[in-house]
Amino acid sequence: MISPALPYLKDAEDLRGNEDQWRAYQSAGNCVILAGPGSGKTKTITVKIGRMLAEDVHRPRRLACITYSNACVGELRSRLSKLGADDGNRLLLSTVHSFCLTELVSPYAALADLDVPDPLVVVSPAQARKLFADAYSEQLGGNAPNWFRMACDKLRRTIPDKGSDEWRAWSARETRVVEAYEALLLQSGLIDFDGLVLAGLQLVEKHEWVRRAIQAKYPAIVIDEYQDLGLPLHRIVLALLRAGTRIVAVGDPDQSIYGFTGAKPSLLRALARLPQMESIRLKLNYRCADRIIAASMALLPTPAEFRSHDGRAGEIHIHRLERSIREQADYTLGTLVPAMLAANPSWAPGDIALLYRTLNEGTPIAQAADTIGMRYFRLDNGSPIKRTRLTEWLTDAARWCSGGWQTGTVSLSQLLKAWRRMRRSVKRESELQAARKRLIASLFSLRDGALPLHQWLSALRREVLDELLQHEPGLADEKDNLNELITAAAAAGPLQTFTVEIFGNQGKSPDQINLMTLHSSKGLEFQAVIMVGLENGVFPSGYDKTDEQLEEAVRLFYVGVTRAKTQIHLTYDSDESPLITSIREAG
């Protein structure tokens, strides 16, 4: 009989029928779980975390789970909460940047005499842009192009050692600007998010006592989306492995799509090959139909063995339209989507995603939807609603205020716990209680889904958000995001007609079609996926010249294809991309 105190055991029984999932769950040491699309990765690792908390990690020690983004943290927290394993006292769910800030740099930098600001203040995006522009002007003169800033950011993430031969052999234009930018940050008493990770790496690699302190507090660390996290974290992991920390790494090299940030799929493969690591591949696909699996595997040079769990056939449709992106969007939204919904009565618009590569395609697609009055959820850099820790919390708060407090779809306790996780710098219980009372009073006074979003946000900012952002160094980037959101909700802004209810349902309403970049779609799934703009020279683009860039373009397309459960629709102008050709040849 399963103990009610250990709810993870019931979910663990579901893993028994999948040999690979069960092996991953049973693994008692260091392991790498290679998890392809639709392989039940999140369920496997959340159940495993539940077991590790119950059986392996005992008070006062804790378990850390590190992942790529705040959205990934939110998804894991939601799953663990349903599993009864979201124990805030013994489980840390964190992004890499947050882990380095709270668990490495804040407690140990001063003790190690590390050259970082004291007090630790994280630079805002606007401040970072200005300091980088100043560094560029000082070293090279003129204004820095956007591509140069991206190249310098990637450089910092791929060559962490300033004194190395590799650093000295790099382009002096980039290394000089990076060094000048970091010097300006320090002179201004600021540090950026990449700097936090680099400082964390120094602490772990150079100081045995730091490694021992981390191992004592966190005897086990789970790392999700490992293929996206880059070299500095990989070296932190190797150092902690040497110190005896148990490492469970989860990811899929074939879904590594953040090379422009410094991510390398080879790092996960290298970790899996270490003699002290057990390597486990999840091969059963619970999402995609057979034809979609076959097509996706045809895209990869060395595909893993994946098979469908239920033998559904699936559909792939290729549409030659000989039209511009806007005209392709007009056709897909005005003709194709209605036909798909009519042919599949159980589907809603929210079961369909229209995917594209960049903001350049997203804007005309959104304009096409606006023209025909189609409701949509947009997720790209052109959307005024960014997926950050604060906006995710605000979305949940809006759902609570617009009726969730009655239906239980969002609980007040969830909101308060998430709020507490953002209030890391406050230690005195009296201050926490006072802030908690202000927050509860504000939320209760704003329980009206029909309130204009601008009025609701402005009241929250005045009553609780300004004070939060003023005192939390880890939320420095959220100030600009909040200001942009409030501006967007004001008169003449793109969200001027939004109510609290509409805002709370963003991405969660079945009557909204999904418009998003391929990067943003990662981790999601839909009944049908439509990809537009698949012309030769557009995807892969003319800028994809090196083998590394071309391979990543293929992986990005692979991610898009594997979001679909049942149907894929690919549209292009007159000359099809070689990616479509690969799909066509796969049958």
Side-chain angles (χ1 to χ4, degrees):
M1 184 174 178
I2 296 172
S3 167
L6 300 174
Y8 76 92
L9 290 174
K10 180 178 182 298
D11 288 74
E13 288 302 308
D14 295 339
L15 306 182
R16 281 186 182 272
N18 183 317
E19 180 182 348
D20 301 320
Q21 288 183 343
W22 186 250
R23 183 179 162 208
Y25 170 74
Q26 291 281 74
S27 174
N30 300 311
C31 73
V32 170
I33 303 171
L34 299 169
S39 60
K41 178 257 296 186
T42 305
K43 179 171 184 176
T44 302
I45 63 168
T46 51
V47 174
K48 186 171 182 65
I49 287 171
R51 179 178 188 174
M52 293 169 73
L53 284 170
E55 302 179 19
D56 303 330
V57 179
H58 305 292
R59 295 180 188 277
R61 306 178 88 184
R62 305 182 73 199
L63 174 71
C65 180
I66 302 171
T67 189
Y68 178 73
S69 67
N70 289 311
C72 294
V73 169
E75 172 64 15
L76 286 170
R77 192 178 305 284
S78 174
R79 295 284 193 99
L80 287 164
S81 180
K82 292 174 183 175
L83 195 64
D86 183 14
D87 184 344
N89 293 321
R90 295 196 303 128
L91 174 65
L92 173 71
L93 284 172
S94 172
T95 63
V96 177
H97 301 115
S98 182
F99 180 83
C100 289
L101 171 63
T102 62
E103 307 304 313
L104 291 171
V105 183
S106 288
Y108 303 128
L111 294 173
D113 199 26
L114 204 64
D115 199 11
V116 297
D118 186 18
L120 203 62
V121 180
V122 179
V123 68
S124 72
Q127 291 172 313
R129 287 192 294 271
K130 182 181 184 306
L131 291 176
F132 186 86
D134 291 345
Y136 185 92
S137 176
E138 170 191 308
Q139 295 297 316
L140 304 178
N143 299 319
N146 289 335
W147 67 264
F148 191 87
R149 171 68 189 273
M150 292 177 64
C152 288
D153 288 344
K154 183 176 179 179
L155 171 62
R156 295 176 71 203
R157 297 162 186 158
T158 51
I159 309 180
D161 306 308
K162 301 292 190 300
S164 67
D165 292 340
E166 194 177 7
W167 181 268
R168 286 189 290 269
W170 203 261
S171 165
R173 286 171 56 85
E174 293 174 14
T175 56
R176 282 167 50 199
V177 172
V178 166
E179 290 169 358
Y181 167 66
E182 292 182 344
L184 287 175
L185 277 172
L186 192 59
Q187 290 168 21
S188 304
L190 300 167
I191 191 168
D192 66 4
F193 285 110
D194 286 333
L196 286 170
V197 179
L198 295 173
L201 174 61
Q202 284 190 60
L203 287 166
V204 168
E205 284 195 330
K206 294 182 178 180
H207 301 283
E208 181 188 3
W209 60 270
V210 173
R211 297 192 294 273
R212 291 174 62 186
I214 293 298
Q215 197 277 334
K217 185 175 182 180
Y218 297 106
I221 297 178
V222 177
I223 304 152
D224 189 25
E225 303 292 355
Y226 196 97
Q227 77 282 347
D228 293 332
L229 295 172
L231 182 62
L233 178 76
H234 181 66
R235 285 174 43 176
I236 289 173
V237 166
L238 295 181
L240 292 177
L241 264 176
R242 292 193 296 271
T245 301
R246 177 184 172 190
I247 298 294
V248 177
V250 189
D252 180 11
D254 293 331
Q255 294 186 79
S256 180
I257 57 173
Y258 293 99
F260 60 91
T261 70
K264 293 184 177 181
S266 58
L267 298 177
L268 180 56
R269 295 189 180 103
L271 186 70
R273 289 194 297 268
L274 292 178
Q276 64 267 49
M277 304 297 296
E278 180 182 11
S279 180
I280 303 164
R281 182 176 287 280
L282 307 184
K283 297 185 287 291
L284 201 59
N285 189 317
Y286 290 90
R287 176 189 303 152
C288 304
D290 283 338
R291 289 194 67 201
I292 296 172
I293 294 173
S296 69
M297 291 174 66
L299 296 168
L300 303 174
T302 54
E305 291 182 29
F306 293 113
R307 63 186 188 278
S308 168
H309 84 293
D310 61 4
R312 289 175 296 121
E315 302 175 26
I316 299 176
H317 302 275
I318 299 174
H319 308 265
R320 178 177 175 173
L321 299 178
E322 299 190 17
R323 302 177 186 180
S324 67
I325 291 292
R326 171 58 193 267
E327 290 168 330
Q328 290 181 43
D330 288 337
Y331 169 76
T332 56
L333 295 174
T335 301
L336 184 55
V337 169
M340 293 165 66
L341 293 173
N344 299 276
S346 64
W347 292 6
D351 291 315
I352 301 172
L354 203 160
L355 306 182
Y356 43 90
R357 191 162 188 186
T358 70
L359 169 64
N360 292 334
E361 294 84 48
T363 298
I365 292 168
Q367 290 169 347
D370 290 335
T371 298
I372 61 174
M374 178 177 284
R375 294 193 62 200
Y376 59 86
F377 167 62
R378 183 178 179 185
L379 191 56
D380 63 28
N381 288 335
S383 171
I385 304 174
K386 306 292 189 295
R387 293 181 75 180
T388 69
R389 263 196 300 173
L390 182 59
T391 53
E392 292 280 343
W393 183 87
L394 285 169
T395 302
D396 286 340
R399 291 172 68 206
W400 186 85
C401 286
S402 58
W405 61 279
Q406 292 175 309
T407 63
T409 52
V410 179
S411 71
L412 182 60
S413 64
Q414 286 176 307
L415 290 175
L416 295 176
K417 285 179 181 178
W419 179 262
R420 177 64 183 93
R421 286 189 291 269
M422 291 191 287
R423 299 301 309 262
R424 293 183 182 276
S425 67
V426 180
K427 303 299 182 184
R428 294 174 57 183
E429 190 61 30
S430 59
E431 290 182 35
L432 286 171
Q433 288 300 325
R436 178 187 171 97
K437 287 180 180 177
R438 286 196 301 274
L439 174 60
I440 293 173
S442 297
L443 290 173
F444 270 84
S445 70
L446 295 169
R447 288 184 301 170
D448 184 353
L451 276 177
L453 178 60
H454 185 267
Q455 179 183 337
W456 185 81
L457 287 171
S458 299
L460 272 178
R461 180 170 68 176
R462 181 176 60 253
E463 294 168 16
V464 293
L465 296 179
D466 278 344
E467 190 266 341
L468 168 74
L469 297 176
Q470 181 181 350
H471 294 100
E472 294 299 329
L475 297 178
D477 58 328
E478 298 284 9
K479 296 178 184 177
D480 291 349
N481 293 330
L482 178 62
N483 288 335
E484 290 172 8
L485 182 61
I486 291 176
T487 299
L495 306 181
Q496 64 174 331
T497 62
F498 270 41
T499 63
V500 176
E501 182 177 13
I502 292 172
F503 176 70
N505 283 331
Q506 282 296 292
K508 302 176 180 70
S509 176
D511 64 348
Q512 295 175 329
I513 193 169
N514 300 280
L515 311 181
M516 59 184 63
T517 60
L518 287 152
H519 284 96
S520 299
S521 73
K522 190 165 178 288
L524 304 176
E525 63 181 26
F526 308 93
Q527 287 291 349
V529 161
I530 305 168
M531 280 191 269
V532 300
L534 297 176
E535 294 87 43
N536 190 23
V538 176
F539 193 4
S541 77
Y543 296 104
D544 295 322
K545 298 183 183 298
T546 68
D547 289 344
E548 182 182 0
Q549 289 170 328
L550 289 169
E551 289 166 4
E552 179 151 318
V554 172
R555 291 195 297 269
L556 183 59
F557 187 64
Y558 172 80
V559 165
V561 167
T562 54
R563 299 311 93 198
K565 296 180 181 180
T566 307
Q567 287 185 23
I568 295 174
H569 294 263
L570 309 174
T571 77
Y572 67 100
D573 193 348
S574 57
D575 186 13
E576 72 181 28
S577 162
L579 297 172
I580 287 188
T581 304
S582 297
I583 294 283
R584 199 186 291 279
E585 291 174 351

